Amino acid sequence: MSKIICSPGSYIQGNGEMGRLAEYYRLLGTKGAYLIVDRFIDQTYHDLITGSFEREHVLHSVHIFGGECSVQEIETHRSQLDGADVVIGIGGGKTLDTAKAVSFYARIPIIVVPTAASTDAPCSRLSVVYTPEGEFDFYLPLTSNPNMVVMDTQVIAKAPVRFLTAGIGDALATYYEASACLQSDAVTMAGGHITRAAIALAKLCRDVLLEDGFKAKLAVEQGVSTKAVENIVEANTYLSGIGFESSGLAAAHAIHNGLTVLPECHGKLHGEKVAFGTLVQMVLENRPLEEIRQIIDFCRSLGLPVSFQDLGIDQVGDERLMEAANASCAKNDTMGNMPFAVEPEDVLAAMKTADRLGRA
Ligand SMILES: [Zn+2]
């Protein structure tokens, strides 16, 4: 079977990129841009976002994201396109996933503009669709990666630090899930087997996180961008984005998806749950204690959850933890990419062990 690596057409990162969107739009379209923007981002950056379109006399319309990347939300935007020939998604992961889904169904190009480095979703040819209530619904595989991903580091450095650390949690899983997929010779989200290039990016991703993660957190707490922040933005978004998509997902993300059945942790961000899922995967694999402790210490330094208490599920009880474990082993999820069989009982045991290690 084929080996496949895929990536966005262009990845652009720098200070002030948000003020150049009309230039980038012009490379892709002529009839008008359909912007889907987070409400808070529109309130904060409306003039910066629309400024370049007005200066360059480019037709554009701004639409506020409804809050959940659901089938209903995607349909609403699709029905309002009104001749626009490029979709531009500006905001958090769910806004971007909605914009990608709209561009996929309407068969028009997309520019993805994350306002935080909080997940590795932006670069991928994948949207994660949730129910209107916020539970995982299904993965929507798209036919191509975004035409452009534009990261304005000035905007990202001003986002809450918790978004950056959650992005680090999401990116932390990349290398461990890639290693599992390499061992099991899994077929990745890209639709083929793993390339050497994708594995190299996943390794680099982990190295950059461990080297620069804590330094970047300190900078963003002050609202400033440094070289460490730039490196982490690239690791969270590009390295982890190409990495997870072309080197595969395994237990860490399956456990994240399992945790979404517990309303107690709905307040936790994707990457925060994935960070704990990574610890659980390491326990499932019975990795050396020293290696697990290194990752626990790293997560603690960033304020990422390492225990049930951190996740808000310390009062949940075994029966409902088992529901999460069952959900993580669902047939359409990625637990099957582990190099050995994993039963829900194994997941529960690993979750409880990871919790104890994290508390120790
Ligand atoms: Zn993720």
Side-chain angles (χ1 to χ4, degrees):
M1 196 196 200
S2 324
K3 294 183 176 192
I4 301 180
I5 184 165
C6 54
S7 71
S10 311
Y11 175 83
I12 302 165
Q13 177 182 313
N15 273 345
E17 297 296 343
M18 187 89 95
R20 300 186 191 117
L21 294 180
E23 278 172 50
Y24 298 134
Y25 162 79
R26 279 216 160 121
L27 300 172
L28 298 170
T30 55
K31 294 183 184 140
Y34 185 97
L35 283 66
I36 305 175
V37 187
D38 276 357
R39 183 175 300 282
F40 173 74
I41 293 299
D42 184 62
Q43 286 163 355
T44 314
Y45 295 110
H46 185 86
D47 293 346
L48 179 65
I49 291 167
T50 55
S52 65
F53 291 94
E54 275 151 22
R55 272 196 313 278
E56 310 222 358
H57 308 291
V58 172
L59 274 180
H60 62 284
S61 56
V62 175
H63 306 262
I64 303 300
F65 175 58
E68 197 58 74
C69 179
S70 62
V71 171
Q72 292 84 337
E73 178 78 15
I74 295 163
E75 282 306 310
T76 300
H77 291 289
R78 192 183 164 192
S79 68
Q80 294 173 357
L81 281 174
D82 199 24
D85 58 358
V86 177
V87 180
I88 304 181
I90 306 175
K94 291 184 176 188
T95 308
L96 307 179
D97 274 10
T98 302
K100 285 198 281 185
V102 172
S103 103
F104 166 71
Y105 287 120
R107 296 172 186 274
I108 56 177
I110 169 130
I111 303 175
V112 166
V113 189
T115 49
S118 59
T119 78
D120 54 18
C123 289
S124 71
R125 56 167 72 179
L126 179 76
S127 283
V128 186
V129 181
Y130 291 82
T131 66
E133 290 73 40
E135 286 188 14
F136 174 71
D137 194 355
F138 60 93
Y139 286 120
L140 174 66
L142 313 173
T143 42
S144 63
N145 297 67
N147 302 74
M148 286 186 196
V149 175
V150 179
M151 307 291 290
D152 187 332
T153 41
Q154 225 159 25
V155 169
I156 290 161
K158 295 228 170 353
V161 69
R162 195 178 156 204
F163 289 165
L164 189 86
T165 54
I168 293 172
D170 196 20
L172 187 61
T174 303
Y175 168 74
Y176 296 97
E177 295 189 291
S179 302
C181 289
L182 187 64
Q183 281 182 58
S184 65
D185 197 26
V187 172
T188 73
M189 298 282 174
H193 293 289
I194 303 173
T195 57
R196 303 286 302 270
I199 284 292
L201 293 185
K203 266 205 191 97
L204 178 62
C205 182
R206 185 190 61 169
D207 294 347
V208 171
L209 296 180
L210 294 179
E211 178 58 37
D212 283 333
F214 184 60
K215 286 183 274 178
K217 173 194 175 232
L218 298 180
V220 169
E221 277 172 349
Q222 314 301 315
V224 296
S225 182
T226 58
K227 284 205 176 356
V229 172
E230 288 172 19
N231 289 346
I232 290 299
V233 169
E234 185 185 333
N236 286 8
T237 314
Y238 189 78
L239 296 177
S240 180
I242 311 299
F244 98 78
E245 179 163 54
S246 295
S247 61
L249 295 177
H253 272 79
I255 287 154
H256 162 276
N257 292 337
L259 288 171
T260 66
V261 307
L262 301 173
E264 287 85 348
C265 54
H266 276 185
K268 297 293 165 197
L269 299 173
H270 172 84
E272 293 173 332
K273 286 175 281 191
V274 171
F276 187 73
T278 304
L279 290 178
V280 177
Q281 177 174 326
M282 294 175 87
V283 173
L284 277 173
E285 295 170 325
N286 199 28
R287 283 189 182 254
L289 186 57
E290 199 184 329
E291 192 183 353
I292 296 176
R293 285 212 170 115
Q294 181 196 20
I295 296 303
I296 288 174
D297 289 346
F298 176 69
C299 287
R300 278 219 193 95
S301 77
L302 295 165
L304 288 168
V306 292
S307 68
F308 288 162
Q309 194 183 6
D310 293 348
L311 284 169
I313 57 169
D314 48 325
Q315 304 298 327
V316 156
D318 279 7
E319 205 173 306
R320 292 186 50 235
L321 286 175
M322 194 62 194
E323 284 174 31
N326 271 319
S328 74
C329 295
K331 266 211 168 65
N332 63 345
D333 217 311
T334 55
M335 192 65 83
N337 286 344
M338 292 299 284
F340 44 82
V342 179
E343 302 298 332
E345 291 76 15
D346 303 320
V347 176
L348 180 66
M351 282 171 69
K352 295 182 76 158
T353 308
D355 167 59
R356 291 309 297 224
L357 284 163
R359 274 195 278 160

